[in-house]
Structure formats: structure tokens, C-alpha cells
Amino acid sequence: MFARIKKSGKKYQYLQIVENRKEKGKVKQRVIATIGRIDEMQKKGRVETLIRSLSRFSEQAMLILTGKSDVAAEAVKIGPALIFERLWEETGIRKAIKRLLANRRFEFDVERAIFLTVLHRLMVSGSDRFCERWRRDYLIEGTKSLELHHFYRAMAFLGEALKDQEGATPFASRCNKDLIEEMIFYDQRELLSELKLVFFDTTSIYFEGRGGDTIGRKGFSKDHRPDLNQMVVGAIIDDQGKPICCEMWPGNTTDVKTLIPVIDRICKRFGIHNVCIVADRGMISAKTIEELEENDIAYILGTRMRRVNEIKNDVLSVGGRYRDVYPEGVTSKDPSPLKVKQVVLNDKRYIVCMNPRQARKDAADRKAIIESLKAQLKKGPKSLVGNKGYRRYLAIDKHSARIDTGKVKSESRFDGKWVLTTNTNLSAEKVALKYKELWQVERVFRDVKSMLETRPVYHQRDENIIGHVFCSFLALVLREELEKRLNNAGHVFEWSDIKQDLKALNQVTIEENGKRFIIRSECKGHCGKIFQATKVALPPTIREAA
């Protein structure tokens, strides 16, 4: 049964009570009663009177009453915890942490502190000081009693060095986080299956402060901050896109002396046959590439398109059709899929990748710069030379400056593109996807900077730093697991949309006259599909609190 408005002519509308019923397999509507003209009822307050009268027969209907009674309400976000609690369980992370804590006697729930930190990293990132305030707006089981010092102690537990250092490298000791990674891996791995190929990406994270006792060191800075201490983080992902482990070492050991021992260690830990290094060209030196090839280690490297003449003048000029690329097992109606083509030049294999959506953005940004540049030119050349964005499109004469149309046209060749080089036998499509996956991994770890850039007083110990970065790795595990399940269900959603739609799912607890009711907000955007893909049941819309 439901209420509806029935129009009569152009002027009047009537409120009716209607019911649906089936007759010979077809749904038909029957008018139970016509209550009256809606404008007259609203004018005299009869609609509210009717609702109040009906509410006597349903306690839940009291939620729509006015504030004449003493009503207390509290709202919290429930979407993120419901989804990621399930994945936390099914990926084996909770089980591994609980096993490691079995013989430890902490006065607080370490597993809950780690989960809260990971969930915070997934949704907003930021420091643990902010995490303590952030959790106030979320319903996360077992976290109400946690305080700030508990988070720090939980991070120190993850980075705590093991007594048995067999298999450690000279610059990275074995710690609790290694045991957790290994328990998760072997618990989830199918019997007798082998890990034949993994992809290894490295990135650097710099510190505003000292950067721990030993892990913060000065080295080649990808962020162009050679004045700051940094650490290096490596992530290992299998050929199905599943994160396996992360490695951390001091920032002054980023070349051959580090990569080869780390690769050997990883292969022994997980029984891996082959490793493929995936990195930006700026992270790997020519000497390292020679060493990788001598040791028969595969690589996929991003190139410097604008700086290498062979790529800028030759590779990008080679014709040929692009092929659309989608993640494995996904058929998408995305109008702007990733596009790739292969170019072989001077016995080198290049993969040219193009993102049409990014290409449109690059073109629009350049157009905006040119329009602004035209206005600025009227003020004279001196005001333009120091602007890097303008300088790219300028031709500077002795006493004047003008827009160089040749440079504008040349720059358009790079719109939405990047070029990879590889010594693997993988298809061009798989090379492009793996680089894109590892680029997303790098972005996750680079987000850790917002946490590490707090005052050094909060991050003085290596153990805490290792624990914090490992929580970002666990966040990556959960994110990849969610996206895999969405892909299996035929969905490809932007990560920002996933977060926003999950955060929009709220639970409101209303208390009136000693009775408490819980009402769930409506699923918005992709929220319902996310719950379906992860097989998590939505709470009832309205229920009485226990």
C-alpha cells in the first residue's frame, strides 16, 4: 500500500491510498480511499495529523515526527568498515596478525589499531594524530578505547626486528611485518602452485626530519630534494596484480648493490622463479640496467620522452594503429580505454601508450596556457622568462618574445602518451598494464609522505616508520582485492568515486522516550554494486537498537 497524488483537471490534486495486487499474473492498482484535496489538507495541517495518527500502529514511524518530544540523534559512516572488514578477513590479514600476537600480552587490541590505521590510509591518508580524530565519524568495531599512543605502539610492533635474522640483507633486517606477509602469502596460495613471475617497483619517500635511526639517508632523490633524508620502498606484485610484499631500505642504497640482494631475498622467501623490474627511468641507472641484463633479470622501464632524441624524433613518429587495452578479464564500455602500440627500433623494443582522456586534458591545459600567454605578452618578455609553463612555448628574441607555434605543435605530440622499453617477451598490452599497475602502487606509497612529513618527534624510530609504511602496503592489498572483485563483476569504477560513495553510507541512531532506533541512509552512486561484488549484506533500512 502507498500514497499517491491524483490530478483532476489542471487545477486540483487529490491524495489517495492505493494498493497493488496481482490478477492473472499482472499487477493492478486499486484505490482504497481518496483522502481529500492536497492543498486544503496541507493548509489545515491534516497530512501531519494523519501521519501522527497512523504512527500509533508502527513504532518505527515515530522517526518522522516533529521535535515536540525529546529526540537525540547520532550519525556515523558505516560503508568503509563494512566492506574492508570483510576483505581484511578474507585476504587472511586478520588471521596472520592474530597468529603473530598469540603469545604477546598487550593491554590493547593491536589488530584493531592496525586495521584502523589501514582503513584511515585507504580513505584519507594523513598522520596518526589526525587518524585518532577521524575515526570519531566512523563505526569501526572494537576501536573506541584506542588512544594515540596505541597506534604508535602497534606500528612499532609491525617493524620490530626478529631474533632470527636468517635471510636478512645487510641493509634491511627481518621483522614482524615479514612474517605477516609470508603467512598471508602461503595461507592464500593454492597447493602446488608456483609463482613464476612477479613485478618489482621502487619509489623513494623523503623525510622532513631525521628519518629514523638508520633508514633515513641522503641519496639520489626522485623528488628533487637531495637536501633531505629519504628511504626507498619496493613493492612486489604477482602476474595477476596481487601485492605480495614490500621491502624497505635506506635512501643511500638505491642501485645495483641493493636491487640484486633484495631480489634474491624475495625469490627465496616466496619461491619465485622470475622477477621483472618495473620502474621509471630516473630510478634505474644505465649501470643497473647492464647488471640486470647480465643477471638475466627482466625489466619494464618508463622512458624520458622529451629528452631522448630516438624516442622524441623516431619512436613517436612511427605509424601504426593503437590497440585498446583493458585489465585482464574485464570488458568495458569505457569510451577512453588505454591504447598501446609496439615499435621496434635499433633492436630495442618500445611500447607507446596513450590515455585518450589524459590527452584531452593535456590539450585543454595547453590551450589555457597559450590564451594566458597571449595576454601576458603585452606586459613584456621579462615577466615570462621565469615561468616554466610559459617558457616551454616561447621564442625569445633580443628585445621581444613571441609564441613559438612550432613548439606548440611539437608539444602536442606528447599529449596523453608515455613510452616504455622492455626486454621481456610479454605482449605490448600486458607490458602497459603492468606498468600502469605499478604506477598505482607507487602513488599509494607516495601518499605516505603526508604522514612522514610531520614533525620528526613523531617518527624517530625505524620500527615505527617501517610499521607506518607497511600499513600503506596493507591498504594496497585491500584496494587491489576490492578492485579485483569489482572487475570480476564487470565494474570499473574510479577509486575516488568508490571512496566517496562508501563514505556516503551513514547510520543514524535516534533515541526518543527511552527507545532507540537505527536508520540506514540510502545507497548512492556505486555503493550498492560494491556491496554486491564483495557479497556483503546491507543492514536493514530501519531497525530497533538492542
Side-chain angles (χ1 to χ4, degrees), residues 110-360:
V110 176
E111 181 269 335
R112 288 288 81 192
I114 297 171
F115 174 73
L116 179 59
T117 303
V118 171
L119 186 63
H120 176 244
R121 204 67 51 80
L122 273 164
M123 303 310 294
V124 294
S125 192
S127 71
D128 287 331
R129 293 178 67 82
F130 178 65
C131 175
E132 188 183 23
R133 295 192 297 272
W134 169 86
R135 59 93 179 264
R136 176 186 58 195
D137 299 327
Y138 289 76
L139 183 63
I140 307 168
E141 183 181 354
T143 63
K144 282 188 176 181
S145 62
L146 295 176
E147 298 178 6
L148 181 60
H149 68 95
H150 294 145
F151 298 127
Y152 290 139
R153 291 184 62 191
M155 298 306 100
F157 164 74
L158 293 173
E160 181 182 289
L162 302 175
K163 292 181 179 179
D164 182 3
Q165 287 296 311
E166 183 179 355
T169 61
F171 36 78
S173 61
R174 279 179 57 78
C175 53
N176 283 332
K177 75 98 185 164
D178 295 306
L179 295 181
I180 293 171
E181 290 168 341
E182 290 158 13
M183 283 188 279
I184 293 170
F185 175 80
Y186 287 108
D187 186 58
Q188 298 290 308
R189 204 73 188 160
E190 296 178 5
L191 287 175
L192 304 179
S193 64
E194 294 180 330
L195 199 57
K196 295 182 179 179
L197 176 65
V198 299
F199 297 85
F200 183 25
D201 184 27
T202 60
T203 188
S204 58
I205 299 174
Y206 63 78
F207 302 88
E208 293 289 354
R210 187 178 66 193
D213 300 317
T214 62
I215 205 164
R217 290 290 184 268
K218 290 181 174 63
F220 173 78
S221 177
K222 192 175 180 182
D223 301 289
H224 309 292
R225 292 301 305 267
D227 56 313
L228 299 178
N229 287 336
Q230 66 177 17
M231 67 183 294
V232 179
V233 182
I236 304 295
I237 290 185
D238 69 14
D239 58 354
Q240 301 300 312
K242 185 175 181 179
I244 298 172
C245 70
C246 65
E247 294 285 341
M248 300 167 229
W249 58 90
N252 61 349
T253 50
T254 62
D255 221 317
V256 182
K257 292 181 180 178
T258 302
L259 282 176
I260 303 304
V262 168
I263 289 171
D264 288 342
R265 177 190 178 188
I266 292 168
C267 290
K268 291 175 182 176
R269 286 178 67 194
F270 301 102
I272 297 168
H273 291 262
N274 295 298
V275 173
C276 179
I277 302 293
V278 183
D280 287 334
R281 183 62 180 83
M283 199 67 187
I284 303 293
S285 69
K287 184 179 179 181
T288 305
I289 295 175
E290 291 177 8
E291 188 77 13
L292 293 176
E293 291 181 340
E294 287 177 8
N295 285 272
D296 198 25
I297 296 174
Y299 60 77
I300 298 172
L301 301 179
T303 64
R304 295 169 173 172
M305 296 187 297
R306 292 174 175 85
R307 297 186 183 182
V308 181
N309 287 330
E310 183 177 75
I311 297 172
K312 181 174 63 175
N313 299 328
D314 301 327
V315 174
L316 291 179
S317 299
V318 174
R321 296 182 61 183
Y322 285 95
R323 295 192 297 275
D324 293 347
V325 178
Y326 299 101
E328 189 173 348
V330 175
T331 56
S332 174
K333 297 179 180 179
D334 185 350
S336 300
L338 177 65
K339 297 176 181 293
V340 304
K341 68 177 179 180
Q342 177 172 296
V343 175
V344 178
L345 201 64
N346 298 326
D347 296 326
K348 291 183 180 179
R349 186 180 178 216
Y350 296 100
I351 311 298
V352 182
C353 309
M354 184 179 70
N355 182 330
R357 186 181 290 111
Q358 184 63 42
R360 291 191 293 270

Side-chain angles (χ1 to χ4, degrees), residues 17 42 51 66 89 94 101 198 211 227 246 277 365 473 545:
I17 304 297
Q42 289 176 336
I51 292 173
T66 64
E89 183 74 41
R94 185 202 300 274
L101 288 165
V198 299
D227 56 313
C246 65
I277 302 293
D365 291 345
F473 173 78

Side-chain angles (χ1 to χ4, degrees), residues 375-390:
Q376 292 294 327
L377 276 171
K378 298 175 183 179
K379 300 178 182 180
K382 289 184 179 180
S383 64
L384 303 173
V385 175
N387 188 309
K388 187 177 180 180
Y390 289 155

